[in-house]
Amino acid sequence: MPDPIGLRIAGSGHFLPERVYDNAHFESYLDTSDAWIRERTGIRTRHIAGEGESTATMAVAAARAALEDAKLKPTDLDLIIVATITPEHVFPSTACCVARQLGLTSTPAFDLAATCSGFIYATVTAAHLTRGKTYRTILVIGAETMSRITDYQDRSSCILFGDGAGAVVLNALPDATGPALLHHRIHADGHGHESLWVPAGGSCLPASQMTVNERLHYVKMQGREVFKQAVSTLRQVVEGTLSEAGVTSDDVALLISHQSNIRIMEAARAKLGIPLEKMYVNIDRIGNTSAASIPIALDEARRGGHVRGGDLVMFVAFGAGFTWGSMLWRM
Ligand code: UT7
C-alpha cells in the first residue's frame, strides 16, 4: 500500500553523444528501410557514442548538468547510484568511476543492473534510503552505451538502440505533504531471461574465441515475445499503481514511459485512457537507451516546461529479466 516518501527532484541533466545514426545509415548496408523502422518502432535517429565516450563519461556529463541545475557541488552528495547494463568495466563499478571523475574520495557509490527498469529501481532504492538520516542528497544516474553490445548485423534489434545518460539529484524532505514519491512498484520475473539477453561475457559463459565467433557478446532478442509481454505488463503496473494510490489516469499530468518502441508505448497509453498529449515522447530522436531513457526524458520534460510544481507524474518501464516498475510522483 502507498507509503509516500517526501522527496524532491532538486536538479536534472542529460547527455547525448554528438554522433547520430539515422535510418538511412541502416538502409545503406542492411535489408531494411526508413519506412519499416519508422512504422514499426517510431525511431528516426539515435545517438551513438564516439571514440573516447563511454558509460562513465556520459554519466559524468549528465551528473554535472544535474548538479548545476540543483546548484549543488559533488561534495554535497551523500550517495551515488548508477543504473546501467553497459558498465564501464566488469569491475570496479561505473559509479566508482563517476565518483572519481567528480573528484570525490569517500562518497559511497554503487551500480544497479535492472535493464530498462534500472532508473526506476535505482530511484526507488534511493528514496527508501532517504528515510534514515544518513543519505539525504542522492545522485541517481541512468547511463548506457548500448552501441557497444548491439549486433549491427542483426536488423531486428540494431535499429532500436541508442546511447546516452540522464541524472537527477534527489533531496529528502521532512514530510510528504509537498513533493513526494507517492507510490511505486518494482517487480522481476527471471523466467523471461532468454527473451532478451547478452549470453556471453559473464561467469556462466566467459569470453572465448567461440563466444566472439558466435557473436554471443551482443544483445539477442525475441522481439515479438518481449513486445507482447511489455504491453500487457505496462498497462497492469500503471493501473495497479494508480488504484492503490487512490487516483485515476485523469489525475496524471504526464506519463514518462521507458522509450522502448512507440507501438508499445502507444498501446499501453491507449489502454490506460491517457490522452496522447500527456505522454512524453522522444524515441523518434533518441531510440531505446535502456536505463538512460527515463532520466533523459524527464530532464527534457523539466527543461521544456512540461513538469510543474504539484503535477502528478507517472513513470513506467519494462525490460529484460524481465524487470518492470512504476513510480507516481507529486512534483
Ligand atoms: O527496451 C525493452 C526491450 N525491448 C523492446 O521492448 C523491444 C520489443 N520489440 C519490438 O520493439 C519489436 O518486436 C521489433 C521492433 C523488434 C520488431 O517489430 P515487430 O513488428 O515485432 O516485427 P517482427 O519481429 O514480428 O517481424 C516482422 C517482419 C519479419 O519478417 P517476416 O518473418 O514477416 O517475413 C522480420 O524478419 O519484419 C522483419 N524485420 C524487418 N524488416 C525490415 C525485422 N526487422 C526488420 C527491419 N527491417 N529492421
Side-chain angles (χ1 to χ4, degrees):
M1 280 302 110
D3 185 13
I5 302 174
L7 203 58
R8 77 187 178 101
I9 296 172
S12 63
H14 77 273
F15 175 84
L16 294 166
E18 241 177 64
R19 180 162 58 167
V20 168
Y21 285 176
D22 61 11
N23 293 341
H25 168 83
F26 297 100
E27 279 179 331
S28 72
Y29 74 98
L30 284 174
D31 180 15
T32 189
S33 67
D34 174 50
W36 191 96
I37 299 170
R38 276 190 289 108
E39 275 162 29
R40 297 295 185 115
T41 71
I43 301 170
R44 288 186 293 111
T45 58
R46 60 298 274 149
H47 292 256
I48 303 295
E51 216 175 301
E53 287 176 324
S54 59
T55 300
T57 68
M58 295 189 291
V60 168
R64 288 196 197 284
L67 284 164
E68 191 182 332
D69 188 36
K71 299 184 176 54
L72 292 174
K73 305 181 296 301
T75 47
D76 295 320
L77 297 171
D78 300 318
L79 174 67
I80 298 172
I81 309 178
V82 177
T84 187
I85 50 160
T86 49
E88 197 74 353
H89 314 286
V90 171
F91 70 87
S93 69
T94 304
C96 283
C97 300
V98 169
R100 175 169 56 90
Q101 289 182 45
L102 291 176
L104 298 170
T105 53
S106 67
T107 307
F110 66 88
D111 285 3
L112 188 153
T115 64
C116 302
S117 316
F119 182 77
I120 289 181
Y121 266 67
T123 304
V124 166
T125 303
H128 279 271
L129 284 168
T130 63
R131 293 201 131 139
K133 291 203 167 69
T134 312
Y135 309 106
R136 307 298 290 169
T137 304
I138 304 181
L139 175 64
V140 181
I141 304 171
E144 302 282 16
T145 321
M146 293 302 290
S147 62
R148 306 265 155 88
I149 59 165
T150 294
D151 185 348
Y152 285 101
Q153 298 304 320
D154 177 3
R155 68 174 185 169
S156 65
S157 64
C158 70
I159 45 127
L160 288 174
F161 298 112
D163 301 333
V168 294
V169 177
L170 302 177
N171 233 182
L173 296 174
D175 58 56
T177 55
L181 173 58
L182 296 176
H183 191 34
H184 63 269
R185 277 182 164 204
I186 50 174
H187 299 279
D189 179 359
H191 291 93
H193 89 278
E194 287 182 13
S195 300
L196 181 52
W197 66 326
V198 174
S203 60
C204 165
L205 191 56
S208 67
Q209 197 56 56
M210 181 280 287
T211 62
V212 172
N213 292 347
E214 302 281 321
R215 305 180 81 77
L216 298 179
H217 295 272
Y218 292 128
V219 171
K220 309 282 174 206
M221 183 172 71
Q222 288 164 23
R224 225 172 296 183
E225 175 58 33
V226 178
F227 190 105
K228 275 191 281 174
Q229 197 70 40
V231 173
S232 64
T233 307
L234 290 173
R235 181 179 59 85
Q236 281 167 22
V237 76
V238 172
E239 275 175 357
T241 308
L242 292 174
S243 74
E244 285 162 12
V247 298
T248 71
S249 56
D250 290 344
D251 301 315
V252 172
L254 190 64
L255 172 67
I256 300 185
S257 165
H258 165 50
Q259 312 280 310
S260 51
N261 178 324
I262 194 68
R263 287 158 55 223
I264 294 177
M265 295 160 64
E266 254 307 301
R269 179 201 67 74
K271 285 186 175 143
L272 288 162
I274 294 177
L276 188 57
E277 61 276 13
K278 286 189 177 180
M279 181 169 75
Y280 193 80
V281 175
N282 65 12
I283 190 170
D284 53 326
R285 290 177 284 117
I286 292 172
N288 180 340
T289 57
S290 182
S293 162
I294 287 181
I296 293 171
L298 170 60
D299 185 49
E300 285 189 352
R302 285 181 88 238
R303 288 173 194 262
H306 302 290
V307 180
R308 292 173 301 269
D311 275 357
L312 293 193
V313 179
M314 171 61 79
F315 298 86
V316 67
F318 176 88
F322 296 120
T323 64
W324 62 102
S326 63
M327 299 192 289
L328 179 66
W329 276 77
R330 182 168 52 228
M331 294 296 175

